[in-house]
Amino acid sequence: MTPRTFPLWLALVIAMICGAGVALQSRINGELGRRLDDGFTAAAISFGSGLIILLVALAVAPAGRRGLGRVRAALRDGELRWWYVCGGAAGAFLVLSQGLAAAMLGVALFTVSVVAGQTVSGLVLDRVGLGPGGRRPLTPARIAGAVIALLAVTWAVSAQFGGSVPVWMMLLPLIAGLGMGWQQAVNGQVRVVAESALTATFINFLVGTIVLVVLMLVHWALAGLPEPLPTEPWLYIGGAIGCVFIAGAALLVRITGVLLLGLATVAGQLLTALLLDLLAPTSRAPVAFSTIGGTLLAIVAVGVASIRWGSRRAAE
């Protein structure tokens, strides 16, 4: 799949579907963290289950194993810098923040905070050309879309300022969003070198799982063991959702660029997150009007950036 053969509109639709999965993952991992009373263990379970799925996939997919060989050779020859294979660390922080903060913040508020970080990192990374698609120009439409998205996030979270939610908890998804843009860019580079999205996704989950298991063991030593594992199967599908999202992002970022990929996934995230908070809330407090308005404004931002950008050739 190359930018010339894969239509941009279809890439955006797939990105929106992936974004909906991220919102569902936030709800699942947040609830698992609440049940265990341990967000670190919840994050390790989510990433670890995804890693198991990918190990099985590698066992039956020779292309993925060949991709690992290409990545090793590129690292050995200096064609790929070592930190390009560390995107999983950013993914680990996102999943950890889901387990620690999503249940208390609510999925909608958590998601719009992530959006702020995604937007800023996407704009910067496209400008410097870190992603596999190279540098993307700072067109007026792209800048306007990013600014509108940031205004939308500010409006959406305004009801929480001065409230009972700790400031540090609101900062967690913001920082996670910054890391998501970088993760998408470097995973895209790994996919190009490996010629396999499966390889890039596996490396991402391997690094993330190692980071989270170390953090989990440290947390156990300091705070004790978590509560017993819940029995509901749906609480353990966060890793599978993450596999789909990471693989999709690694494939699409070369076509869309980091910013447009982030804004497209935002549309799916926000709509799904808002529906979850309205139909299946995790707290008794009603969803604030500012959260609804901010979500709608963020969708407008996606339209501003993507429609005008879509009229240009992706190669620009």
Side-chain angles (χ1 to χ4, degrees), residues 199-280:
T199 301
T201 308
F202 171 76
I203 293 173
N204 178 90
F205 271 79
L206 177 63
V207 173
T209 299
I210 292 172
V211 171
L212 288 171
V213 168
V214 171
L215 291 175
M216 179 187 70
L217 294 176
V218 172
H219 185 259
W220 284 3
L222 297 176
L225 297 177
E227 297 295 324
L229 294 173
T231 57
E232 294 91 330
W234 66 271
L235 290 171
Y236 302 97
I237 64 173
I241 295 174
C243 290
V244 175
F245 173 75
I246 296 301
L251 283 167
L252 298 173
V253 68
R254 190 179 184 186
I255 301 169
T256 63
V258 182
L259 175 64
L260 192 52
L261 175 63
L263 292 180
T265 57
V266 161
Q269 287 179 57
L270 292 180
L271 286 173
T272 305
L274 187 57
L275 287 174
L276 285 172
D277 273 358
L278 289 173
L279 300 178

Side-chain angles (χ1 to χ4, degrees), residues 55-73:
L55 282 170
V56 174
L58 277 177
V60 299
R65 298 194 296 273
R66 288 194 296 269
L68 287 175
R70 294 188 185 99
V71 172
R72 283 195 297 267

Side-chain angles (χ1 to χ4, degrees), residues 2-315:
T2 67
R4 292 183 178 180
T5 60
F6 200 87
L8 179 60
W9 68 266
L10 183 56
L12 295 178
V13 170
I14 297 173
M16 290 179 65
I17 295 172
C18 290
V22 173
L24 289 172
Q25 185 191 48
S26 296
R27 170 60 63 90
I28 292 166
N29 289 342
E31 180 63 18
L32 181 60
R34 188 186 68 82
R35 297 280 193 92
L36 295 173
D37 194 25
D38 187 343
F40 293 89
T41 301
I45 290 174
S46 179
F47 246 77
S49 62
L51 181 61
I52 292 172
I53 293 171
L54 292 167
L55 282 170
V56 174
L58 277 177
V60 299
R65 298 194 296 273
R66 288 194 296 269
L68 287 175
R70 294 188 185 99
V71 172
R72 283 195 297 267
L75 289 170
R76 182 183 63 247
D77 298 338
E79 298 175 5
L80 189 70
R81 297 181 181 180
W82 65 267
W83 48 268
Y84 274 89
V85 299
C86 295
F93 186 82
L94 172 64
V95 174
L96 179 60
S97 66
Q98 290 172 344
L100 292 173
M104 183 173 292
L105 290 176
V107 177
L109 182 55
F110 180 91
T111 302
V112 293
S113 299
V114 171
V115 169
Q118 279 184 282
T119 303
V120 173
S121 63
L123 200 62
V124 172
L125 293 173
D126 272 350
R127 184 67 184 91
V128 301
L130 183 62
R135 291 187 177 183
R136 306 267 174 163
L138 292 179
T139 63
R142 291 162 65 82
I143 296 174
V147 171
I148 294 172
L150 291 174
L151 291 175
V153 170
T154 302
W155 185 18
V157 304
S158 61
Q160 297 294 332
F161 293 133
S164 58
V165 178
V167 174
W168 68 266
M169 190 168 289
M170 295 178 64
L171 290 176
L172 282 179
L174 178 67
I175 298 171
L178 290 170
M180 279 186 69
W182 177 76
Q183 178 190 30
Q184 291 166 354
V186 297
N187 282 350
Q189 293 279 24
V190 174
R191 190 208 69 82
V192 171
V193 171
E195 300 178 15
S196 168
L198 174 59
T199 301
T201 308
F202 171 76
I203 293 173
N204 178 90
F205 271 79
L206 177 63
V207 173
T209 299
I210 292 172
V211 171
L212 288 171
V213 168
V214 171
L215 291 175
M216 179 187 70
L217 294 176
V218 172
H219 185 259
W220 284 3
L222 297 176
L225 297 177
E227 297 295 324
L229 294 173
T231 57
E232 294 91 330
W234 66 271
L235 290 171
Y236 302 97
I237 64 173
I241 295 174
C243 290
V244 175
F245 173 75
I246 296 301
L251 283 167
L252 298 173
V253 68
R254 190 179 184 186
I255 301 169
T256 63
V258 182
L259 175 64
L260 192 52
L261 175 63
L263 292 180
T265 57
V266 161
Q269 287 179 57
L270 292 180
L271 286 173
T272 305
L274 187 57
L275 287 174
L276 285 172
D277 273 358
L278 289 173
L279 300 178
T282 57
S283 64
R284 297 179 181 178
V287 177
F289 173 76
S290 59
T291 301
I292 298 174
T295 298
L296 295 176
L297 186 59
I299 295 171
V300 171
V302 176
V304 169
S306 64
I307 293 176
R308 297 183 184 181
W309 175 247
S311 65
R312 298 173 179 264
R313 292 176 60 89

